[in-house]
Amino acid sequence: MSKVVTIDNLARLEGHASVALYINKSGNVEKAEYIATEPSRGFDMILKGKHASEIPRLAARICGICYTPHNIVACKALEDAWGTVIPRSAKKIRELIIYANTLSSHALHNVFLAGPGLLIGGPNAISDLKKKYPDFLEAGIKLRAIGQDISEIIAGRKVHTIIAAPGGVLGALSKEKQDSIMDLLDSADEHISTLGEYTRKIVSQKKNYMLSFGKIDTHFLSLKQGKRLELYDAPLELLMKSGKKELLTPVQLLDRITEEEKDYSYVRHPYLTKLGAEGGQFRVGPLPRIQNAKWDNPYFHDFKKNFGELTQSTMGYDAARIAEMAECVREMKNIIDSGLDNEIKNIARPRDGVGVAVVEAPRGILLHYYETDKNGIIKKARVIAPTTFHQGSIERTTFEAARMVLKASNGRFADEEKVMIEQAIRAYDPCMSCAGATQLRIIKREA
Amino acid sequence: MVVKVSTIQLGGCSGCHVSLLDVGKDLFSDAITVVHSYLLMDKVTDTVESDTDVLLIEGAVLTNEDEDLLRRIAPHAKTVLAVGSCACFGGIACLGNLKNPFVTNTDNLKDSKHKLHPLVCSPKAFIDVDYYIPGCPPPASVIGDTILALVNGKPVPEISHTVCDECEREKTHTAPPIVPGGKWKTTLDEAPDPKKCLLEQGYLCLGRQTMGGCNASCTKANIACEACRGPIFLFRGFKKFTDKEKKEVLKCLK
């Protein structure tokens, strides 16, 4: 009979989740369960029956951190269903605001959520952060503010930006607005280098920890990366453990995955059907994106030097984010330099159709699926968020991390050990309100 | 004196917590200490049950645990703030009630405390709320002003103007045009003229009825107001008709 220990209410992650560990008589971890306790709000049912014009703004409310990708991918999916094309500048503005959102989300995670644990560790990390590393906190607050301010300039508000609509975006970006974004971006570089220095220090001081803690082996899924960070428009690329690559369309992805229900969690566990629940797990997010990218910034080169070409290190997520932040700033500058005009919106004409689209949210691939009728009323909606894709991987990471931690502590399971296990989970930056958006176990209603 | 602030998140999206972070440096000043917060703590402990001066609640009651948590914590707080439209009115989370999607098979769920609440509702169904800060999410400036007022012992600013009052678009103050077929223009149609009143252009902008304080941020960005801050009269209206204390009025309304 194995003993069950739990970590209730994981701290410093978005939403609610807990962990249950099954420990056998000899003190070894037998099984780990990652329990999504975030109550699902049933977005698939909320969206069903609504007019398509309302979908992008309702979809943004799925998540309070990555609202922009939800808003934009909903538009993209509806455009896919109706064959609507969007003007060139609209695409650029959408990219701009996704980069801004990624910048602030990563800054939030690296500084407030993961940072304290990596820099200080132990059960009082965040209260010590202000005293021990004020410059780190300061840079994080400022960098996050830059991302949020850019969102505000483009969409009028910082959180739940709803600027995108089927057919383009609603507001153009005037010359003055472009100039103020440029000013903000110019001040971002110094904060990124502050955070970058800290990341460098963490990786060099705790190299072994960063490389091996909570390490598992999975496949990887991201948009195909090239010389620039692609978050909006690129084919999906599945990178197998073996190094084999394959391009997919969003529809093919939906065909290939199975979502397994668990009796302890609100969220299903997706995996590649062909390879089974054990071998078919794949990860999304910053780590897969950096794997075969060819960016050019110092943090990217650092990452490749420390972690190698193809790495399975879970903690690599935290190191990959800094490279992405630098890339976000560079790409935003490039977009504004390339020029924007006032042609931002085409009229979207609803028709009977099925649309599915993906974008890269800060945490990874985000998929929306809609069926509409000829008047634009939603017949079926489905959302698969990055953290949903991660459920199985997080569970395995928890298992590996718990095994390592309990081995080192000789079976003692106190606050320090709990905090260490949480740190491994935090690498994925789990967002439980996204994950539970539509993955409710719904039984058919009696007529 | 250091003011102890706690935040809790029920069924929500964390957007209000993110907006709270946007308050920025004021939140990390020496006058405030965050004693409990899922997002800003090392370990979610029982300190939440110790005394706290200001309790911020995000989200609507979705699970049985949410209700227990509220009933446990609220009596320990001197001032309770409902932050965001979910905590004020039920918001997006309560849309689930309309279509009854929660006919869910949660009986399978091992842990009964996380089972869904029979009816999704806002926290005021279970506890007394002192101040409401509606919005999806409320602007950081409004949250910041309210917290700072409480910290400094000043009266909390009450907003008594609409989004329309704050909006700088050209208005002729005529009725909106009657569009053929009686339909409003939507976000599927062409982008609106950035200078003229959205309602007068035929877009369903709800700014005329909606509580202000957001600086008309959406209409400035060419987006019609979606009334995320809720109707204005709910909050200021009753004050005009009674000389009773606010708490008493709210009690009667409940």
Side-chain angles (χ1 to χ4, degrees):
Chain A
M1 181 68 194
S2 53
K3 190 176 73 172
V4 186
V5 292
T6 56
I7 311 176
D8 289 326
N9 290 333
L10 300 177
R12 275 187 280 131
L13 61 85
E14 205 271 332
H16 306 279
S18 29
V19 160
L21 299 173
Y22 293 77
I23 299 175
N24 65 12
K25 267 188 188 150
S26 44
N28 293 325
V29 186
E30 270 183 345
K31 197 173 100 176
E33 280 175 0
Y34 178 69
I35 308 164
T37 56
E38 176 80 19
S40 174
R41 283 170 293 160
F43 263 91
D44 41 359
M45 296 304 274
I46 289 175
L47 297 178
K48 194 175 158 184
K50 294 266 188 302
H51 189 254
S53 61
E54 285 193 69
I55 299 306
R57 70 183 175 90
L58 284 174
R61 265 67 187 213
I62 290 173
C63 179
I65 298 180
C66 50
Y67 35 82
T68 304
H70 276 289
N71 172 228
I72 287 171
V73 74
C75 299
K76 228 180 133 183
L78 290 170
E79 283 153 10
D80 180 50
W82 306 335
T84 312
V85 287
I86 65 167
R88 208 173 54 99
S89 284
K91 188 186 157 195
K92 284 184 185 172
I93 293 175
R94 284 183 185 186
E95 281 191 314
L96 204 57
I97 195 163
I98 287 196
Y99 285 125
N101 184 237
T102 305
L103 179 67
S104 66
S105 170
H106 282 358
L108 171 76
H109 181 264
N110 268 19
V111 176
F112 292 98
L113 309 183
L118 289 175
L119 272 175
I120 304 167
N124 301 315
I126 201 154
S127 27
D128 289 347
L129 188 69
K130 203 159 98 178
K131 284 175 233 145
K132 285 193 183 157
Y133 301 100
D135 55 334
F136 180 72
L137 186 64
E138 175 97 11
I141 292 176
K142 291 222 168 112
L143 197 57
R144 207 188 138 263
I146 289 171
Q148 297 292 84
D149 287 346
I150 294 173
S151 295
E152 192 180 19
I153 291 170
I154 301 169
R157 54 203 283 178
K158 287 177 178 166
V159 184
H160 290 328
T161 56
I162 44 172
I163 190 77
V169 292
L170 293 168
L173 215 54
S174 65
K175 193 80 195 71
E176 298 88 67
K177 284 184 178 177
Q178 292 177 28
D179 290 344
S180 43
I181 292 176
M182 271 308 214
D183 290 344
L184 283 171
L185 289 174
D186 286 336
S187 62
D189 291 331
E190 90 182 82
H191 305 310
I192 288 181
S193 58
T194 310
L195 296 186
E197 270 317 306
Y198 274 107
T199 308
R200 236 172 233 167
K201 218 163 82 184
I202 292 165
V203 175
S204 64
Q205 280 172 4
K206 302 181 170 179
K207 190 148 186 189
N208 200 21
Y209 171 82
M210 294 300 281
L211 284 175
S212 61
F213 188 59
K215 187 175 174 178
I216 55 171
D217 59 329
T218 61
H219 312 292
F220 296 104
L221 181 77
S222 71
L223 291 190
K224 188 174 161 47
Q225 302 293 322
K227 287 212 166 106
R228 72 194 281 254
L229 172 62
E230 298 286 353
L231 297 178
Y232 177 70
D233 194 17
L236 277 166
E237 189 173 55
L238 186 64
L239 172 63
M240 311 300 280
K241 282 181 220 181
S242 56
K244 208 180 90 188
K245 292 176 189 171
E246 193 181 352
L247 292 182
L248 295 176
T249 63
V251 181
Q252 281 171 329
L253 174 68
L254 269 185
D255 287 344
R256 288 198 191 185
I257 56 171
T258 304
E259 291 177 278
E260 191 187 353
E261 284 189 358
K262 299 280 182 188
D263 65 352
Y264 51 82
S265 176
Y266 269 117
V267 184
R268 292 174 187 169
H269 290 214
Y271 57 86
L272 295 169
T273 315
K274 230 198 246 160
L275 298 167
E278 279 298 305
Q281 277 168 8
F282 56 93
R283 290 190 270 184
V284 295
L287 189 67
R289 291 199 284 255
I290 208 167
Q291 299 281 12
N292 43 32
K294 294 181 182 61
W295 308 331
D296 186 21
N297 68 57
Y299 313 109
F300 173 74
H301 297 307
D302 277 358
F303 182 91
K304 288 285 173 196
K305 206 172 74 201
N306 289 318
F307 290 87
E309 269 309 306
L310 182 63
T311 173
Q312 295 280 4
S313 303
T314 301
M315 303 312 278
Y317 271 97
D318 288 325
R321 278 188 194 101
I322 187 75
E324 287 199 348
M325 284 197 258
E327 205 58 24
C328 283
V329 171
R330 203 174 61 121
E331 277 314 314
M332 279 193 268
K333 284 181 181 166
N334 285 348
I335 289 173
I336 293 181
D337 282 339
S338 71
L340 292 160
D341 55 32
N342 284 337
E343 211 175 293
I344 47 157
K345 182 87 168 70
N346 291 338
I347 295 176
R349 294 183 207 287
R351 66 178 191 213
D352 207 337
V354 176
V356 43
V358 292
V359 296
E360 285 277 8
R363 290 158 190 76
I365 292 292
L366 169 64
L367 183 144
H368 278 217
Y369 169 99
Y370 297 108
E371 283 173 27
T372 74
D373 70 6
K374 63 181 191 325
N375 298 317
I377 304 294
I378 301 297
K379 289 195 290 192
K380 191 178 172 194
R382 193 173 169 197
V383 174
I384 308 182
T387 307
T388 316
F389 288 125
H390 271 157
Q391 292 301 307
S393 310
I394 294 178
E395 198 163 280
R396 268 175 66 198
T397 303
T398 314
F399 175 69
E400 291 297 330
R403 232 178 41 172
M404 283 183 202
V405 169
L406 287 181
K407 207 172 164 191
S409 73
N410 278 325
R412 198 173 67 107
F413 189 71
D415 282 357
E416 284 81 23
E417 283 74 32
K418 286 186 185 179
V419 170
M420 282 179 82
I421 297 168
E422 281 181 65
Q423 192 64 31
I425 297 170
R426 220 171 274 140
Y428 293 96
D429 196 1
C431 174
M432 301 318 295
S433 51
C434 282
T438 67
Q439 300 300 314
L440 196 62
R441 285 152 230 254
I442 289 182
I443 51 165
K444 274 188 191 131
R445 283 175 69 188
E446 307 290 315
Chain B
M1 197 193 87
V2 180
V3 174
K4 287 184 252 174
V5 177
S6 294
T7 75
I8 56 166
Q9 189 193 344
L10 310 175
C13 68
S14 297
C16 300
H17 273 83
V18 170
S19 200
L20 181 69
L21 286 179
D22 283 334
V23 174
K25 279 196 124 176
D26 289 342
L27 193 66
F28 296 91
S29 78
D30 294 331
I32 295 173
T33 136
V34 179
V35 292
H36 177 91
S37 169
Y38 286 108
L39 216 55
L40 293 172
M41 288 263 295
D42 295 303
K43 196 168 148 290
V44 181
T45 54
D46 291 336
T47 44
V48 67
E49 286 186 40
S50 67
D51 287 340
T52 161
D53 295 316
V54 182
L55 172 69
L56 283 82
I57 302 173
E58 177 196 332
V61 177
L62 266 184
T63 59
N64 296 336
E65 198 198 8
D66 288 343
E67 188 190 331
D68 292 348
L69 189 71
L70 273 179
R71 288 190 194 274
R72 220 169 60 218
I73 297 169
H76 296 279
K78 287 197 189 107
T79 313
V80 178
L81 261 70
V83 181
S85 291
C86 296
C88 291
F89 325 110
I92 295 282
C94 275
L95 282 177
N97 287 336
L98 297 177
K99 294 228 288 295
N100 199 10
F102 295 112
V103 190
T104 31
N105 194 1
T106 49
D107 298 342
N108 286 345
L109 217 61
K110 271 193 209 162
D111 204 344
S112 67
K113 72 177 180 182
H114 298 302
K115 277 185 185 163
L116 286 164
H117 204 268
L119 188 75
V120 187
C121 47
S122 65
K124 67 166 180 271
F126 308 106
I127 55 160
D128 288 328
V129 176
D130 297 305
Y131 298 100
Y132 295 89
I133 315 178
C136 191
S141 58
V142 179
I143 303 181
D145 289 350
T146 310
I147 295 178
L148 286 182
L150 289 170
V151 167
N152 300 325
K154 293 197 174 118
V156 171
E158 279 191 26
I159 292 160
S160 52
H161 55 268
T162 60
V163 175
C164 209
D165 296 336
E166 290 174 341
C167 175
E168 286 160 0
R169 285 170 178 265
E170 289 166 22
K171 296 168 196 127
T172 56
H173 297 287
T174 50
I178 294 169
V179 189
K183 276 186 187 156
W184 293 95
K185 284 187 194 169
T186 68
T187 51
L188 302 188
D189 299 304
E190 71 278 5
D193 184 313
K195 296 229 165 62
K196 288 185 190 145
C197 173
L198 288 159
L199 197 64
E200 286 164 15
Q201 287 182 61
Y203 293 89
L204 186 57
C205 177
L206 298 169
R208 280 192 192 178
Q209 293 83 16
T210 305
M211 185 193 230
C214 56
N215 219 359
S217 52
C218 287
T219 62
K220 266 184 197 148
N222 226 10
I223 303 163
C225 175
E226 47 172 1
C228 74
R229 280 181 53 81
I232 183 88
F233 42 79
L234 233 176
F235 289 84
R236 74 168 179 185
F238 286 97
K239 210 171 153 190
K240 284 184 195 165
F241 308 119
T242 173
D243 52 0
K244 284 200 168 127
E245 289 285 304
K246 190 176 175 184
K247 262 200 167 157
E248 250 178 278
V249 175
L250 289 174
K251 212 173 168 184
C252 295
L253 285 173
K254 212 162 84 175

